[in-house]
Amino acid sequence: MTGEIAAILAMDGIASGAIYLLIGLGLVLIFAVTRVIFVPFGDIAAFTALSLASLETGTRPGTVALVAGLALLATLIECTALVRAGEIGRLPRTLFFYLVLPLIPVAAVWLVAGMALSMPVRIALSLALVLPIAPLLDRIVFRPIADASVLLLLTVAVALHFALSGMGLLFFGPEGVRTKPLADAVLDVAGLIVNAQTLLIVIAAIVFSGLLFLVFEYTLLGKALRATAVNRTGARLVGIRPATTGTIAYLLASLLAGISGVLIAPVTTIFYDSGFLIGLKAFVGAIIAGMTSYPGTALGSLLVGLLESYASFWSSAYKEVVVFGILIPVLLWRSLSMAATDEEEEAEE
């Protein structure tokens, strides 16, 4: 391997790691606030790419029917719960948040499908369309079992992924898609030829990671999310509703998934089930950080991207084995670390 090839592989690995970074941050955010390992996260990214491709070809995205169905079901569940609790006065607010808001992008995409739209408009519509998916899934699937064990929540999340994959096949078909590149330029960086699309992916990951940091550090919303992640009972005692912060966490994570789908669609052929593998690799990066640290997730995701890039050079058939094989030493190390910590706590007691 020459130095030039190593540099090219490193650039590809950093670009892949940047995608895994955005998805990994969303996974950690949802897990910290709700204890749910949101396995369908990658599916939302794939649906964004498929929706964008549909708008480019002038067809109506299948996501329209998916979001409309989820909105109706979530509204029915929430209204039923309010009627049983005798809180009739909250019905208008529920109808607005669970039905009207999700159906606005649905109606917009339904009306403009088939028209010649500019790229920024297509991207904005695709992001707006997938944005309600995660919060609606939370209300339908996870909130009724919010106090269940992490293992049960994980089992439900895996089942939900397979359900969404089936819907993806139904709505989008088995064909793969690739969207138009967001940037066509080719740049010369220190003698290394870099595609502008790759550079855009890296910049987007840095920008949105920085914005997420600012939200957590300097906004009341971010502090409420952090409080819920640290102590749900304590957050409830000071007036923070875990259900509301959970919805916000799902909303932010859905935005990160949508951005990831827009960025990856021009460089990778996306199928209806491509999201699972993308999300799983991001999950490896999050596991390296223990599903708790955002900076650790960033480093872990970049490590996964670089490892995948170099492994594909040496043996593309085994690159997935190499990437997922890193979980074994990481899990062993974390298991031994937890055992040592438990022994120290018992000794102190």
Side-chain angles (χ1 to χ4, degrees), residues 52 55 105 109 118-130 262:
L52 182 58
L55 290 175
V109 173
S118 64
M119 181 178 292
V121 173
R122 293 196 300 266
I123 293 174
L125 287 174
S126 300
L127 290 175
L129 192 58
V130 301
V262 171

Side-chain angles (χ1 to χ4, degrees), residues 57 65 93 104 131 162 182 187 192-193 214 239 258 274 286:
T57 57
R93 180 175 179 272
I104 290 176
L131 201 58
F162 286 113
L182 303 178
L187 307 175
L192 180 65
I193 303 301
L214 293 176
S274 296

Side-chain angles (χ1 to χ4, degrees), residues 17 35 84 114-115 121 149-150 160 176 188 192 221 226 238 268 292 301 314 325 331 349:
R35 302 182 305 117
R84 288 179 176 177
M115 298 182 183
V121 173
S149 66
V150 175
L160 181 59
D188 187 346
L192 180 65
L221 171 62
R226 290 172 59 188
V238 297
T268 304
T292 56
S301 299
W314 293 111
L331 291 176
E349 292 176 357

Side-chain angles (χ1 to χ4, degrees), residues 276-318:
F276 179 69
L277 197 57
I278 298 171
L280 199 57
K281 291 176 182 176
F283 177 67
V284 173
I287 283 292
I288 293 175
M291 294 291 291
T292 56
S293 169
Y294 295 102
T297 300
L299 293 176
S301 299
L302 291 175
L303 175 62
V304 170
L306 290 170
L307 190 63
E308 180 185 24
S309 180
Y310 285 105
S312 64
F313 175 80
W314 293 111
S315 178
S316 59
Y318 292 99

Side-chain angles (χ1 to χ4, degrees), residues 25 110 112 130 135-136 157 180 200 265-266 272 277 293 320 322 329 342 344:
L25 290 177
W110 181 279
V112 303
V130 301
L136 291 174
K180 297 178 181 178
L200 182 62
Y272 71 94
L277 197 57
S293 169
E320 316 294 355
V322 174
D342 292 341
E344 291 176 0

Side-chain angles (χ1 to χ4, degrees), residues 188-274:
D188 187 346
V189 181
L192 180 65
I193 303 301
V194 179
N195 191 297
Q197 178 70 36
T198 300
L199 195 59
L200 182 62
I201 291 173
V202 176
I203 293 174
I206 294 173
V207 169
F208 284 102
S209 299
L211 290 175
L212 193 63
F213 170 78
L214 293 176
V215 168
F216 275 102
E217 289 294 326
Y218 300 106
T219 67
L220 187 62
L221 171 62
K223 293 176 181 178
L225 290 171
R226 290 172 59 188
T228 307
V230 172
N231 190 324
R232 293 173 63 88
T233 303
R236 190 181 290 111
L237 290 175
V238 297
I240 300 172
R241 295 183 60 191
T244 302
T245 54
T247 299
I248 294 171
Y250 277 102
L251 192 64
L252 291 174
S254 195
L255 176 62
L256 291 174
I259 293 167
S260 302
V262 171
L263 292 173
I264 201 174
V267 297
T268 304
T269 302
I270 301 295
F271 297 87
Y272 71 94
D273 58 349
S274 296

Side-chain angles (χ1 to χ4, degrees), residues 72-85:
L72 291 173
L73 185 57
T75 302
L76 179 62
I77 292 173
E78 182 68 12
C79 289
T80 302
L82 291 177
V83 170
R84 288 179 176 177

